[in-house]
Amino acid sequence: MTTRAPIMAGNWKMHKDHLEATQLVQKVAYHLNEGDYEGQDVVVCPPFVSLRNIQVLLDAERLPIQLGAQDCHQESSGAFTGEISAPMLARLDVDWVIVGHSERRQVFGEHDALVAAKAVAVQAAGMAPIVAVGETLEQRQADQAAAVVDAQLRGSLDGVSVEDPTRLVVAYEPIWAIGTGETASAEDAQDMCAHVRTVLADLFGQDVADAIRVQYGGSVKPGNVRELMGQPDIDGALVGGASLNADDFALIVTHRR
Ligand code: PGA
């Protein structure tokens, strides 16, 4: 079995202005030693308006934190008022882009085909997509969670390249666990992440599936990260609320210490 380097990512959502964003990154960096970055990817995904500030800070201080964005438009340019394209993000040294987050799907009506188009655009611009999937509480209660995630994966990965499988991440985020304080049990999270890998193997073959990282997201905190990360098919965390606090995010990143 391939060893997969963990990927620990903070999704700040619509929080922190550009001054607060700079401070937060500085604080996170203060808590982390050189060794904490070794063998894993540490990513922050601030709102668009803070990307430039953080890029400059990371560059000036030579910090090994990687920059991510929370979304992008699927076209590279055009008359799309209010939108941000993948090439624009790439120019800011953004390396990762979350696509298909459940808030984009639920609040903004994004569907699998659009998510796939965005993921393809991210790759075309030389960045790596974090493709998010996950079921609602009703779907879980109706025993449909595995089928929903299966369909989301097939639709959202349509046309996505796995030439370098380390540059594609799937985030499994059960919607009922996001921002609710309610985490999936490590066992449930593991079961679904293993299911994700089975679907990936069906789509791309076992070797590729073994190399793709699957993150768990949904109320990840310093107190539960170790158990979650101890599961064989969980290769990282996509962290919302707890990533807004430098101490907590640093504890999540250093869960192996
Ligand atoms: P949460 O958010 O950690 O606040 O539950 C996770 C996410 O939506 O990515």
Side-chain angles (χ1 to χ4, degrees):
M1 189 160 137
T2 333
T3 359
R4 295 178 291 266
I7 173 163
M8 311 305 280
N11 169 18
W12 296 2
K13 309 191 179 183
M14 197 173 72
H15 295 289
K16 308 283 178 190
D17 64 31
H18 74 289
L19 298 173
E20 294 165 332
T22 306
Q23 278 183 349
L24 179 53
V25 172
Q26 279 169 328
K27 282 189 195 159
V28 169
Y30 175 79
H31 286 300
L32 298 177
N33 305 321
E34 228 169 271
D36 295 328
Y37 299 99
E38 262 165 41
Q40 66 176 348
D41 292 299
V42 180
V43 184
V44 292
C45 306
F48 290 129
V49 293
S50 297
L51 289 170
R52 176 63 174 166
N53 269 43
I54 297 180
Q55 177 212 18
V56 169
L57 171 70
L58 296 178
D59 191 44
E61 304 289 336
R62 296 191 203 295
L63 295 172
I65 295 174
Q66 300 167 42
L67 198 49
Q70 301 172 15
D71 185 34
C72 69
H73 194 269
Q74 66 276 20
E75 298 293 335
S76 53
S77 64
F80 301 104
T81 301
E83 291 295 311
I84 305 286
S85 75
M88 292 173 184
L89 297 174
R91 289 282 284 154
L92 288 166
D93 296 337
V94 168
D95 206 20
W96 301 93
V97 184
I98 304 169
V99 293
H101 188 278
S102 65
E103 286 147 20
R104 301 297 317 171
R105 291 177 186 266
Q106 293 206 306
V107 185
F108 301 96
E110 298 193 3
H111 46 82
D112 292 331
L114 178 62
V115 175
K118 289 184 176 195
V120 168
V122 167
Q123 290 186 324
M127 301 177 294
I130 298 176
V131 180
V133 296
E135 81 285 358
T136 63
L137 184 59
E138 296 70 44
Q139 290 164 336
R140 173 155 287 257
Q141 285 168 343
D143 236 355
Q144 294 167 347
V148 166
V149 168
D150 188 307
Q152 283 179 335
L153 282 170
R154 289 174 200 277
S156 305
L157 294 174
D158 190 24
V160 169
S161 163
V162 288
E163 196 181 307
D164 179 354
T166 65
R167 303 278 295 157
L168 170 64
V169 168
V170 172
Y172 166 60
E173 299 203 304
I175 293 169
W176 46 273
I178 294 179
T180 57
E182 195 171 327
T183 324
S185 68
E187 201 188 342
D188 283 349
Q190 160 59 25
D191 283 354
M192 192 61 87
C193 290
H195 175 64
V196 166
R197 204 173 306 284
T198 306
V199 178
L200 293 174
D202 188 37
L203 288 170
F204 305 120
Q206 192 64 50
D207 287 354
V208 168
D210 282 341
I212 295 176
R213 282 155 316 160
V214 181
Q215 291 178 312
Y216 167 78
S219 300
V220 175
K221 296 186 261 303
N224 60 23
V225 65
R226 206 182 291 246
E227 199 191 355
L228 288 162
M229 290 300 293
Q231 305 302 315
D233 285 291
I234 300 182
D235 310 313
L238 186 55
V239 187
S243 73
L244 299 173
N245 178 293
D247 297 12
D248 284 352
F249 188 60
L251 283 169
I252 288 168
V253 169
T254 57
H255 65 279
R256 302 175 296 181
R257 263 191 204 161

